[in-house]
Structure formats: structure tokens, C-alpha cells
Amino acid sequence: MTPAIRSRGWLALPYLTVYLLVFVAPLLYFFVISFWRVRLFRLMPDASLANYAKTLEAHSVSLIFTFEIAFTIAVIVTTLAFVFAYVVRFKAGRYGTPLLFVVLIALFGGYLTKIYVWKTILGQAGVINSALGLLGIVNEPITFLLYNPVAVVITLSHYTLPLAILPIYGALRSIEDMPLRAARDLGASRFRVVWDVVLPQCRVGILIAFSLCLIFAAGDFVTPLLIGGPYTSMIGKLIQLQFGFHGDAAMGSAMAFTVIGICLVVIFMVGTLIFTVFRVR
């Protein structure tokens, strides 16, 4: 190992130390206690799969509902993100940079701010109901716009869209213009150019975008609590109750790692599908 490489390794040591202490160590701790049990609000060391079995048995309906919502959000957001990133990269011209700047500004917007914005828009006294009332379309406020799964999908889609745009745009930036011109000169339609040339070269970006949206939506509990109402019982709310109200960190950890495991399985399946369909020719 050369001195230059060794010095770079030392430069990475502070980052690695922070990463291990802030991310890896807590993750390992909660993974270990997920096999423990709680008695009289105290963690008791154990080596049992009882918490995982109880999670799959008692919360299977909530898990299925959560991943239906999360998968829907991931598919919608990834599709919209690809369209937006494609326009910015290939169609917007000199307006591409301002559009990308808008995405960055939206990315750093407050999470709770966006939730309350949509709560204001969809509420009985919100923007939509006020506009419909002023136009004389409705006599009474519409109540079904808020506190339902659709409102959760809209809110989380709005929040995760910038997270999905950036990795896809980064992948599209690596595509050179020459293969696209060659494909068009050979008579390929716009659809064939996108399908056969663009998509195979940004598969990684698409998978990253899908993964970020799926993981965030599956683990979120604030949006279902404030926007979803009593009929949107996602697993994140139940995990929060285990750590907070019930004081059962072992059960909450088992539920959290069950969600992580299902996310990894879904991502693997979707990644296999993407890399199979969009093969580089």
C-alpha cells in the first residue's frame, strides 16, 4: 500500500467512526434485543424468535396494507421522477438547471411542513373545498379528501419525489448523446430509443429511486398518523406504539426488522425484474 493510499485511508477514519457509532452500532443493538423479551417493562436477555412470530401472526394485515401503500407510492414516484429527470436531461435545455434547482429546494423543505400543507389543502376548510364552494360546485365541504390512504399516498409521494429524481437524473447524466442520435438515425422511434437505450443505462438509478421511496414509505408513521386517520393503520404507527406507549423495545425492534427484511425482499425482486427487462444490448 502506497503512502498516498494510506493517507487517504486515515482521512476516511473519522467518517467511518461516526458511521459505526451513529448507524451500525444502534442497528446491531436493536437487532440483538429483537430476540429478547420484556417482563415488567424490563428487557430480559433471550434468544427466541417469538417476537418475529408474533409480528407475522398479529400484524400480518397491517404489514400487507403497509406494503401495498409503500409499493404504490414507490411505483408512482419512480415513474414521475423518471419523466421529470428525462425532461430535465434531454428536453429542457437551458431551463434544466433551474428545474433541478427547484428539486433541490423542495428536497430541503421541512417534512412536517409538507404534511401540514397537504392537510390544509385536503381539509374541510382547505384550498380545494374553499375553491369548490366559491365556484358553487358543492354546498358542503367534501370530507373524503382527508384521513384516508389516498391522502397518505399523495403526501408521501410529494415528499419522496425529490429523493427519487436525483439518483435517476445522476444516471441519465452519464448517458452520452451519440448513441441516442445513432438510434434515431437508424429509424428508431422515441419510445424505442427510451426503452432500448435510455432505460438500460439508468437501471441503477431507477432501482435506487424505487428503494428510497419504498423504505421511507414503509417505515413512516407521522404521515399515517396526521393524514391517514383511524382507517390507515400502517406498521410504522404500531412500531411507534411499541417503543412509546407499550414500552416493549424488543417487540418494536422485531417489527422494525421484519419491515426491513420485507423491504429487502421486495427490492431484490424489483431489481431482478428491472435488470432482466432492461438489459444492455
Side-chain angles (χ1 to χ4, degrees), residues 52-198:
Y52 289 93
K54 185 178 179 181
T55 297
L56 296 175
E57 180 182 355
H59 304 293
S60 58
V61 175
S62 182
L63 282 170
I64 293 172
F65 178 76
T66 297
F67 279 94
E68 287 177 348
I69 296 290
F71 187 82
T72 301
I73 292 170
V75 171
I76 292 174
V77 172
T78 304
T79 303
L80 294 176
F82 175 80
V83 173
F84 185 91
Y86 181 86
V87 170
V88 171
R89 171 65 178 88
F90 296 110
K91 302 295 182 181
R94 61 191 179 94
Y95 298 105
T97 300
L99 288 173
L100 195 62
F101 181 74
V102 170
V103 172
L104 292 174
I105 293 298
L107 178 65
F108 291 105
Y111 172 48
L112 288 176
T113 301
K114 294 179 180 179
I115 292 177
Y116 281 107
V117 164
W118 279 106
K119 195 171 184 179
T120 302
I121 293 173
L122 301 174
Q124 294 187 30
V127 176
I128 295 178
N129 275 312
S130 298
L132 293 176
L134 289 174
L135 295 173
I137 298 176
V138 296
N139 296 323
E140 296 181 356
I142 300 174
T143 59
F144 62 82
L145 296 177
L146 193 61
Y147 303 125
N148 56 64
V150 176
V152 173
V153 171
I154 293 173
T155 305
L156 285 177
S157 296
H158 176 219
Y159 182 78
T160 56
L161 185 58
L163 298 176
I165 290 174
L166 294 179
I168 295 178
Y169 177 77
L172 292 176
R173 286 286 297 176
S174 65
I175 300 177
E176 298 181 359
D177 295 331
M178 188 63 68
L180 305 181
R181 296 196 189 101
R184 287 194 289 265
D185 292 341
L186 292 172
S189 63
R190 290 184 179 181
F191 174 78
R192 297 306 304 181
V193 171
V194 173
W195 188 268
D196 293 333
V197 181
V198 176

Side-chain angles (χ1 to χ4, degrees), residues 25-38 43-56 239 242-243 248-261:
L27 196 66
L28 290 176
Y29 169 76
F30 284 111
F31 180 71
V32 170
I33 68 172
S34 68
F35 299 99
W36 292 7
R37 54 192 172 88
V38 171
L43 282 170
M44 308 294 292
D46 200 352
S48 172
L49 294 173
N51 291 328
Y52 289 93
K54 185 178 179 181
T55 297
L56 296 175
I239 294 173
Q242 292 296 332
F243 281 100
D248 194 341
M251 186 64 188
S253 299
M255 294 168 67
F257 277 97
T258 300
V259 173
I260 293 173

